[in-house]
Amino acid sequence: MAEMGAQVVQAESPKFSCQTRGTYSWAQNHRNCYAITINTATKRGQEIFLKAVEWADVWIEAGRPGAYDKRGLTDEVCWGHNPKLAIVHVSGYGQFGPYRDKPSYDAIGQAMGGYMYMNGESPESPALKVNPYLSDYITAYNTCICALAGHLHVVKYGEGDSCDIAQYDTMYRMLDEYPAKWFSTGFPGPGEPVPDRAGNRGVACCMAFYTTKDGGSIYVTMTGVGPVQRGYPIIGMPREDYPEDCTGFPISTPMGQKAEALITKWCSEHTIDEVERIFTENAIPCQRAYGPADILADEQYAARENIVEWEDAVYGRMKGIGVTNRFKKNPSRIFASAPLVGEHNQEIFSAWGFTDEEIKEMYAKGEVSSWSAAETAKRKFLKEYGFFWDPDRQCKRLGIE
């Protein structure tokens, strides 16, 4: 949201920071954000919070379910201060239900949501977690969608709404057709093989990684009318074996097994460059699995500026992911480093009507706090834990040993 032009204020506790602060994740994911500190358990913190509510279009929170209600900061209280506020509550198991108080994390969401059940090397293998942080990121994207839906409701009808997002619920929704299949036709019992755990293979033939003549590995998806009609002749599938509107065969069928054997043999007789060129020329989806070196050297990544450099307050010059979502008239951009703890307390609290004396008093009482870049590095042990890739230069830059 911040890279797409929104003014995003990230609120942290004055006594401890977000657990990702000081990591590459914080540096990458919090660019362009503002940062304040606030303790909503205190009278002053609630005063700051309600000022934020009056200013904001959207409020997103990911605390323990019911924590704000216990402090008297209910949705209704917020709407009393700003009836046009769009609210999104994010938690592992939702704001209600018997599991609402259970803690969660990325892999927990994958496990509870059934996504982990789907993944494994084979039907007999254990369930498999998907990296990196799929559940966290998809839940965040879902949160963004719901926040914007809430804001659009305000634009159209002039009234705020509140949305309850559960991490496991988001992952469950990603299962697509499978719950309908399981609960309508049956599913494996405890300890039985799980057919959906097919590793790198799909349920259709010609939809997997294939080893090439030079030892390469490339993923091919030869499914759908077009790819099948163009691709089957290439791999040697007899024309009489499939109709003109054929979209492929399930891998479990005799024709699926035949097509699978043909594409496996064909790929083994060609180099990875040949496979990629021939299939691409025939509009058959294929792609070798990219690693860092591939990404860095690829012309597509370069053309879309997927890799950029920016100046981080703690690390200095960094290289990482560029902006996504290409707007024509108002392009996304990076204009600021991920913020330090409480970096914008003075600026934002002043804008919300607090005097300089009141802000000084907040600091004196420990109601708010700020960290410098050097303090961040020390508190997060960036040198000791190996986050600094050039410790001498980076420590010297921050004035620390």
Side-chain angles (χ1 to χ4, degrees):
M1 287 177 158
E3 290 182 3
M4 289 189 284
Q7 288 182 302
V8 177
V9 176
Q10 171 96 21
E12 296 169 271
S13 166
K15 295 185 177 180
F16 52 89
S17 69
C18 172
Q19 68 181 41
T20 67
R21 177 171 285 285
T23 66
Y24 304 141
S25 174
W26 181 272
Q28 174 74 74
N29 296 327
H30 293 264
R31 298 176 305 198
N32 293 6
C33 290
Y34 295 84
I36 62 172
T37 53
I38 180 174
N39 180 1
T40 55
T42 66
K43 182 179 179 180
R44 177 68 81 180
Q46 293 187 8
E47 184 182 359
I48 295 171
F49 173 79
L50 292 174
K51 291 285 187 180
V53 163
E54 292 166 4
W55 164 83
D57 296 312
V58 173
W59 171 42
I60 298 170
E61 67 90 9
R64 290 179 179 274
Y68 285 89
D69 288 358
K70 289 178 181 177
R71 294 170 182 174
L73 302 174
T74 64
D75 291 348
E76 288 69 27
V77 167
C78 291
W79 287 323
H81 287 260
N82 181 358
K84 294 183 177 182
L85 184 69
I87 302 171
V88 185
H89 299 287
V90 188
S91 61
Y93 296 89
Q95 300 298 307
F96 63 91
Y99 294 174
R100 67 167 243 168
D101 293 324
K102 288 184 64 175
S104 185
Y105 195 61
D106 173 78
I108 305 300
Q110 291 188 38
M112 177 68 180
Y115 203 86
M116 197 179 288
Y117 172 88
M118 294 284 297
N119 291 282
E121 295 180 358
S122 71
E124 292 76 25
S125 71
L128 186 67
K129 178 176 77 73
V130 179
N131 289 327
Y133 306 120
L134 177 68
S135 182
D136 284 351
Y137 271 88
I138 294 298
T139 302
Y141 274 109
N142 191 27
T143 298
C144 186
I145 291 168
C146 292
L148 295 177
H151 181 61
L152 284 173
H153 187 273
V154 170
V155 171
K156 193 167 184 178
Y157 300 107
E159 182 182 48
D161 202 347
S162 175
C163 186
D164 170 7
I165 291 180
Q167 185 178 37
Y168 89 89
D169 204 356
T170 299
M171 296 304 297
Y172 178 62
R173 183 60 185 85
M174 285 182 65
L175 296 184
D176 191 43
E177 67 186 61
Y178 289 95
K181 182 181 77 171
W182 296 336
F183 306 143
S184 300
T185 67
F187 48 88
E192 294 180 353
V194 180
D196 299 318
R197 292 180 195 160
N200 285 327
R201 294 194 175 278
V203 295
C205 66
C206 303
M207 187 176 173
F209 273 104
Y210 298 97
T211 302
T212 59
K213 181 180 179 180
D214 52 354
S217 181
I218 186 167
Y219 197 88
V220 180
T221 305
M222 196 179 290
T223 59
V225 174
V228 164
Q229 299 302 321
R230 294 186 296 271
Y232 277 14
I234 293 173
I235 63 175
M237 188 76 164
R239 184 64 189 82
E240 62 271 16
D241 283 353
Y242 56 97
E244 290 185 2
D245 61 350
C246 178
T247 61
F249 300 100
I251 197 169
S252 58
T253 64
M255 294 308 297
Q257 289 292 306
K258 184 174 183 177
E260 189 68 21
L262 286 170
I263 192 173
T264 299
K265 182 175 182 295
W266 187 88
C267 288
S268 71
E269 296 170 346
H270 295 78
T271 67
I272 192 169
D273 289 339
E274 290 171 339
V275 172
E276 192 165 38
R277 175 181 58 79
I278 293 170
F279 282 168
T280 299
E281 287 174 352
N282 287 275
I284 297 165
C286 64
Q287 181 64 54
R288 65 186 80 191
Y290 268 19
D294 303 296
I295 291 171
L296 198 58
D298 189 85
E299 60 184 4
Q300 175 72 13
Y301 275 86
R304 290 182 63 85
E305 297 181 319
N306 296 129
I307 305 169
V308 299
E309 292 188 8
W310 73 96
E311 193 72 22
D312 183 74
V314 177
Y315 288 106
R317 200 68 180 167
M318 295 192 71
K319 181 182 287 188
I321 301 172
V323 298
T324 53
N325 307 322
R326 303 295 170 143
F327 292 90
K328 182 175 287 186
K329 294 182 179 179
N330 302 284
S332 300
R333 63 191 183 95
I334 303 164
F335 58 81
S337 162
L340 302 168
V341 170
E343 181 176 347
H344 302 100
N345 285 344
Q346 183 72 40
E347 175 184 346
I348 291 175
F349 295 162
S350 294
W352 288 347
F354 292 97
T355 67
D356 288 347
E357 286 302 314
E358 286 175 319
I359 297 171
K360 286 180 182 178
E361 183 183 2
M362 292 183 205
Y363 274 104
K365 291 183 176 180
E367 293 172 329
V368 300
S369 63
S370 300
W371 296 4
S372 66
E375 189 175 2
T376 300
K378 289 178 180 178
R379 287 197 181 202
K380 293 296 183 177
F381 303 101
L382 300 188
K383 178 182 177 182
E384 293 81 357
Y385 291 174
F387 280 99
F388 278 164
W389 56 88
D390 187 354
D392 292 339
R393 178 183 64 80
Q394 289 170 295
C395 287
K396 183 178 180 181
R397 172 181 165 274
L398 297 177
I400 60 177
E401 296 182 357

